[in-house]
Amino acid sequence: MNKYIIIAVVIVLIILGGLVYRLFLLPESSVPVVTGKERPITIIARKNQWLFEPEDITVERGDKIIATIINEDDYDHGIAIDAFGVSQRMPANGTIRVAFVVTQAGEFPFYCSVPCGEGRVDGEKRGHFDMVGKIHVRSIISETR
Ligand SMILES: [Cu+2]
């Protein structure tokens, strides 16, 4: 057989394999979902508390999150949500706005991405590494088909 025919057959098989995987085997839960709905949320870094408030945020899968993030401290923080490609500096006494679409269901951590020191809050030691939270993304579509 002509080697070009063999190469063509192999390419067609690869493309067909990809199509079969995409249409029949790929789990619904891993396909990105976009609803077009906007969901405003507010996250506050409380003054000298080394915490984000709230630490747990529940949203619906596919929504566009418009996050207003307030830093009450006299020093910088940062906010990072690795799963959604968010990483922003939070200037001292400043407010930033971040928008992202939560295309996947699950629990996704967010955390302070700028070393911001430590201190005592009600006698307890708290600091940079305590500034963590979770975004819970609920699936509104069926996970089975
Ligand atoms: Cu920090």
Side-chain angles (χ1 to χ4, degrees):
M1 225 200 294
N2 185 319
K3 70 177 174 187
Y4 294 110
I5 293 174
I6 294 173
I7 290 170
V9 166
V10 167
I11 289 172
V12 166
L13 283 178
I14 290 171
I15 292 170
L16 280 179
L19 273 178
V20 166
Y21 177 74
R22 183 73 176 80
L23 293 175
F24 303 110
L25 300 176
L26 189 64
E28 181 104 40
S29 58
S30 67
V31 178
V33 171
V34 177
T35 60
K37 265 188 281 176
E38 291 195 350
R39 170 105 153 83
I41 63 171
T42 302
I43 301 173
I44 302 170
R46 287 287 182 208
K47 194 172 180 66
N48 290 322
Q49 301 275 307
W50 287 278
L51 60 78
F52 285 117
E53 192 184 288
E55 287 185 327
D56 287 277
I57 298 164
T58 300
V59 295
E60 304 291 349
R61 183 182 181 196
D63 286 357
K64 183 175 187 179
I65 309 303
I66 314 283
T68 301
I69 303 162
I70 300 165
N71 181 6
E72 294 184 343
D73 277 315
D74 298 329
Y75 39 88
D76 288 7
H77 290 291
I79 188 154
I81 314 166
D82 294 341
F84 302 113
V86 173
S87 181
Q88 287 273 310
R89 200 168 183 100
M90 300 163 56
N93 302 297
T95 298
I96 60 168
R97 194 157 288 182
V98 173
F100 56 96
V101 180
V102 287
T103 53
Q104 299 294 338
E107 289 188 354
F108 305 99
F110 62 89
Y111 58 91
C112 179
S113 56
V114 171
C116 54
E118 57 182 26
R120 294 214 161 253
V121 180
D122 301 329
E124 299 275 310
K125 201 173 142 192
R126 281 192 71 88
H128 171 66
F129 292 103
D130 296 307
M131 296 186 67
V132 292
K134 240 179 215 164
I135 296 180
H136 306 262
V137 183
R138 287 194 302 204
S139 202
I140 45 173
I141 60 160
S142 164
E143 298 278 338
T144 55
R145 62 165 91 185

PDB file of all heavy atoms in Angstrom, residues 50 76-78 112-117 127-129 131, ligand 1:
ATOM      1  N   TRP A  50      -6.391  38.460  59.342  1.00  0.00           N
ATOM      2  CA  TRP A  50      -5.839  37.434  58.452  1.00  0.00           C
ATOM      3  C   TRP A  50      -6.890  36.397  58.100  1.00  0.00           C
ATOM      4  O   TRP A  50      -6.706  35.205  58.258  1.00  0.00           O
ATOM      5  CB  TRP A  50      -4.582  36.797  59.074  1.00  0.00           C
ATOM      6  CG  TRP A  50      -3.434  37.734  59.019  1.00  0.00           C
ATOM      7  CD1 TRP A  50      -2.599  37.962  57.965  1.00  0.00           C
ATOM      8  CD2 TRP A  50      -2.994  38.621  60.068  1.00  0.00           C
ATOM      9  NE1 TRP A  50      -1.697  38.943  58.275  1.00  0.00           N
ATOM     10  CE2 TRP A  50      -1.896  39.366  59.560  1.00  0.00           C
ATOM     11  CE3 TRP A  50      -3.433  38.866  61.367  1.00  0.00           C
ATOM     12  CZ2 TRP A  50      -1.233  40.316  60.319  1.00  0.00           C
ATOM     13  CZ3 TRP A  50      -2.770  39.813  62.119  1.00  0.00           C
ATOM     14  CH2 TRP A  50      -1.678  40.530  61.595  1.00  0.00           C
ATOM     15  N   ASP A  76      -0.732  45.143  51.800  1.00  0.00           N
ATOM     16  CA  ASP A  76      -1.280  44.421  50.652  1.00  0.00           C
ATOM     17  C   ASP A  76      -1.610  42.966  50.982  1.00  0.00           C
ATOM     18  O   ASP A  76      -0.970  42.341  51.830  1.00  0.00           O
ATOM     19  CB  ASP A  76      -0.281  44.426  49.486  1.00  0.00           C
ATOM     20  CG  ASP A  76      -0.156  45.800  48.838  1.00  0.00           C
ATOM     21  OD1 ASP A  76      -0.730  46.759  49.378  1.00  0.00           O
ATOM     22  OD2 ASP A  76       0.526  45.891  47.799  1.00  0.00           O
ATOM     23  N   HIS A  77      -2.613  42.452  50.312  1.00  0.00           N
ATOM     24  CA  HIS A  77      -2.882  41.019  50.251  1.00  0.00           C
ATOM     25  C   HIS A  77      -2.952  40.652  48.774  1.00  0.00           C
ATOM     26  O   HIS A  77      -2.692  41.479  47.895  1.00  0.00           O
ATOM     27  CB  HIS A  77      -4.209  40.670  50.934  1.00  0.00           C
ATOM     28  CG  HIS A  77      -4.189  40.813  52.425  1.00  0.00           C
ATOM     29  ND1 HIS A  77      -3.473  39.974  53.247  1.00  0.00           N
ATOM     30  CD2 HIS A  77      -4.791  41.706  53.245  1.00  0.00           C
ATOM     31  CE1 HIS A  77      -3.644  40.345  54.509  1.00  0.00           C
ATOM     32  NE2 HIS A  77      -4.437  41.392  54.542  1.00  0.00           N
ATOM     33  N   GLY A  78      -3.336  39.408  48.537  1.00  0.00           N
ATOM     34  CA  GLY A  78      -3.572  38.996  47.166  1.00  0.00           C
ATOM     35  C   GLY A  78      -4.660  37.957  47.186  1.00  0.00           C
ATOM     36  O   GLY A  78      -4.953  37.386  48.235  1.00  0.00           O
ATOM     37  N   CYS A 112      -4.674  33.728  49.963  1.00  0.00           N
ATOM     38  CA  CYS A 112      -3.898  34.956  49.829  1.00  0.00           C
ATOM     39  C   CYS A 112      -2.592  34.620  49.116  1.00  0.00           C
ATOM     40  O   CYS A 112      -1.910  33.662  49.465  1.00  0.00           O
ATOM     41  CB  CYS A 112      -3.607  35.556  51.202  1.00  0.00           C
ATOM     42  SG  CYS A 112      -2.618  37.062  51.093  1.00  0.00           S
ATOM     43  N   SER A 113      -2.270  35.405  48.091  1.00  0.00           N
ATOM     44  CA  SER A 113      -1.102  35.105  47.261  1.00  0.00           C
ATOM     45  C   SER A 113       0.046  36.091  47.476  1.00  0.00           C
ATOM     46  O   SER A 113       1.027  36.058  46.743  1.00  0.00           O
ATOM     47  CB  SER A 113      -1.536  35.112  45.791  1.00  0.00           C
ATOM     48  OG  SER A 113      -2.129  36.353  45.467  1.00  0.00           O
ATOM     49  N   VAL A 114      -0.099  36.966  48.453  1.00  0.00           N
ATOM     50  CA  VAL A 114       0.961  37.935  48.741  1.00  0.00           C
ATOM     51  C   VAL A 114       1.362  37.778  50.211  1.00  0.00           C
ATOM     52  O   VAL A 114       0.513  37.899  51.095  1.00  0.00           O
ATOM     53  CB  VAL A 114       0.466  39.382  48.483  1.00  0.00           C
ATOM     54  CG1 VAL A 114       1.482  40.402  48.981  1.00  0.00           C
ATOM     55  CG2 VAL A 114       0.187  39.603  47.005  1.00  0.00           C
ATOM     56  N   PRO A 115       2.636  37.451  50.496  1.00  0.00           N
ATOM     57  CA  PRO A 115       3.057  37.298  51.887  1.00  0.00           C
ATOM     58  C   PRO A 115       2.698  38.564  52.683  1.00  0.00           C
ATOM     59  O   PRO A 115       3.096  39.663  52.302  1.00  0.00           O
ATOM     60  CB  PRO A 115       4.572  37.107  51.790  1.00  0.00           C
ATOM     61  CG  PRO A 115       4.785  36.572  50.413  1.00  0.00           C
ATOM     62  CD  PRO A 115       3.732  37.229  49.553  1.00  0.00           C
ATOM     63  N   CYS A 116       1.899  38.392  53.755  1.00  0.00           N
ATOM     64  CA  CYS A 116       1.329  39.560  54.430  1.00  0.00           C
ATOM     65  C   CYS A 116       1.592  39.539  55.933  1.00  0.00           C
ATOM     66  O   CYS A 116       0.989  40.299  56.680  1.00  0.00           O
ATOM     67  CB  CYS A 116      -0.159  39.650  54.147  1.00  0.00           C
ATOM     68  SG  CYS A 116      -1.054  38.138  54.553  1.00  0.00           S
ATOM     69  N   GLY A 117       2.499  38.669  56.371  1.00  0.00           N
ATOM     70  CA  GLY A 117       2.889  38.702  57.778  1.00  0.00           C
ATOM     71  C   GLY A 117       1.946  37.933  58.683  1.00  0.00           C
ATOM     72  O   GLY A 117       1.165  37.092  58.231  1.00  0.00           O
ATOM     73  N   GLY A 127      -2.037  34.379  60.537  1.00  0.00           N
ATOM     74  CA  GLY A 127      -1.164  35.004  59.561  1.00  0.00           C
ATOM     75  C   GLY A 127      -1.546  34.643  58.146  1.00  0.00           C
ATOM     76  O   GLY A 127      -2.626  34.109  57.880  1.00  0.00           O
ATOM     77  N   HIS A 128      -0.607  34.951  57.281  1.00  0.00           N
ATOM     78  CA  HIS A 128      -0.793  34.786  55.839  1.00  0.00           C
ATOM     79  C   HIS A 128      -1.401  33.431  55.471  1.00  0.00           C
ATOM     80  O   HIS A 128      -2.349  33.358  54.685  1.00  0.00           O
ATOM     81  CB  HIS A 128       0.580  34.966  55.178  1.00  0.00           C
ATOM     82  CG  HIS A 128       0.622  34.625  53.738  1.00  0.00           C
ATOM     83  ND1 HIS A 128      -0.069  35.355  52.784  1.00  0.00           N
ATOM     84  CD2 HIS A 128       1.259  33.638  53.069  1.00  0.00           C
ATOM     85  CE1 HIS A 128       0.164  34.816  51.598  1.00  0.00           C
ATOM     86  NE2 HIS A 128       0.955  33.783  51.739  1.00  0.00           N
ATOM     87  N   PHE A 129      -0.866  32.355  56.054  1.00  0.00           N
ATOM     88  CA  PHE A 129      -1.287  31.026  55.616  1.00  0.00           C
ATOM     89  C   PHE A 129      -2.678  30.642  56.128  1.00  0.00           C
ATOM     90  O   PHE A 129      -3.213  29.592  55.766  1.00  0.00           O
ATOM     91  CB  PHE A 129      -0.237  29.975  55.985  1.00  0.00           C
ATOM     92  CG  PHE A 129       1.033  30.159  55.205  1.00  0.00           C
ATOM     93  CD1 PHE A 129       2.153  30.738  55.795  1.00  0.00           C
ATOM     94  CD2 PHE A 129       1.099  29.808  53.864  1.00  0.00           C
ATOM     95  CE1 PHE A 129       3.311  30.942  55.067  1.00  0.00           C
ATOM     96  CE2 PHE A 129       2.267  30.010  53.128  1.00  0.00           C
ATOM     97  CZ  PHE A 129       3.377  30.580  53.727  1.00  0.00           C
ATOM     98  N   MET A 131      -5.170  32.633  55.556  1.00  0.00           N
ATOM     99  CA  MET A 131      -6.095  33.315  54.643  1.00  0.00           C
ATOM    100  C   MET A 131      -6.457  32.385  53.488  1.00  0.00           C
ATOM    101  O   MET A 131      -5.938  32.496  52.378  1.00  0.00           O
ATOM    102  CB  MET A 131      -5.473  34.613  54.114  1.00  0.00           C
ATOM    103  CG  MET A 131      -5.216  35.630  55.217  1.00  0.00           C
ATOM    104  SD  MET A 131      -4.657  37.211  54.586  1.00  0.00           S
ATOM    105  CE  MET A 131      -6.120  37.801  53.720  1.00  0.00           C
TER     106      MET A 131
HETATM  107 CU    CU B   1      -1.084  36.864  52.721  1.00  0.00          CU
END
